[in-house]
Amino acid sequence: MKRPPSRRRAREVALKVLYALESTDDPFGEVFSVVADREGLSGALRDFAEALSSKVLEHKDELDTIIANVLEHWRIERTSRIDRLLIRMALAEYFFFPDIPPKVSIDEAVELARTYSTSESPAFVNGVLDAIMMKGRGLVDALRPHLRRPR
């Protein structure tokens, strides 16, 4: 039996779109179309990649505030761009995609960090996301109304 395509490919496309948008002034729709077409993404996976990257862009400042609150002795600007994008993506999944369990979002971000970032990145991404999603419930609950996702 053939396994259905996973959302990892969609997450990879979202990561590439978000990375490109930080390097250009081109509009989201244009960048998304070029990257998704080049990657051959279609159907539900394309829709998910577009929704995920859109939510990250829409709530970038709020997501960065959450991230900055758990970083100790480190400014968010000093984190690698890829790691920061992966953490934002996992948090966007947590707040805006209730069908995705937090553990799945964390695991996927860690796996993408293994592929696209440094050897230290998986542990860093996992640590930050764990501190926010699993241990930082008070912080997350306090910020939830600002992110407009009902729980």
Side-chain angles (χ1 to χ4, degrees):
M1 173 182 252
K2 187 177 178 186
R3 201 172 153 224
S6 76
R7 286 183 168 175
R8 183 163 304 161
R9 280 195 58 233
R11 289 180 178 98
E12 288 175 333
V13 167
L15 176 63
K16 290 174 182 181
V17 167
L18 293 167
Y19 191 89
L21 287 169
E22 288 206 356
S23 306
T24 182
D25 290 330
D26 294 339
F28 170 77
E30 183 179 307
V31 171
F32 181 82
S33 291
V34 167
V35 174
D37 290 348
R38 185 183 63 221
E39 296 292 323
L41 200 64
S42 62
L45 292 179
R46 186 182 183 108
D47 294 343
F48 175 68
E50 185 172 18
L52 177 58
S53 51
S54 177
K55 285 295 183 187
V56 169
L57 288 174
E58 181 182 348
H59 296 283
K60 177 183 173 273
D61 292 338
E62 297 96 330
L63 297 173
D64 283 357
T65 297
I66 294 168
I67 297 165
N69 279 311
V70 300
L71 295 177
E72 293 181 14
H73 312 295
W74 202 257
R75 288 190 333 270
I76 193 167
E77 302 83 28
R78 292 190 63 205
T79 61
S80 86
R81 182 184 298 185
I82 294 288
D83 295 351
R84 193 168 51 248
L85 291 172
L86 289 171
I87 294 167
R88 285 179 191 155
M89 287 169 53
L91 289 176
E93 287 184 20
Y94 179 75
F95 285 111
F96 306 110
F97 297 85
D99 63 312
I100 303 172
K103 182 165 177 24
V104 171
S105 298
I106 293 171
D107 290 347
E108 287 294 312
V110 168
E111 288 306 313
L112 289 171
R114 277 188 221 296
T115 302
Y116 292 100
S117 200
T118 68
S119 60
E120 295 85 21
S121 291
F124 174 75
V125 168
N126 185 64
V128 171
L129 289 172
D130 185 56
I132 294 168
M133 290 187 199
M134 302 303 179
K135 297 175 185 156
R137 292 266 182 223
L139 170 67
V140 169
D141 289 340
L143 291 168
R144 183 167 282 118
H146 303 288
L147 293 169
R148 296 184 298 275
R149 176 185 165 206
R151 258 300 179 183

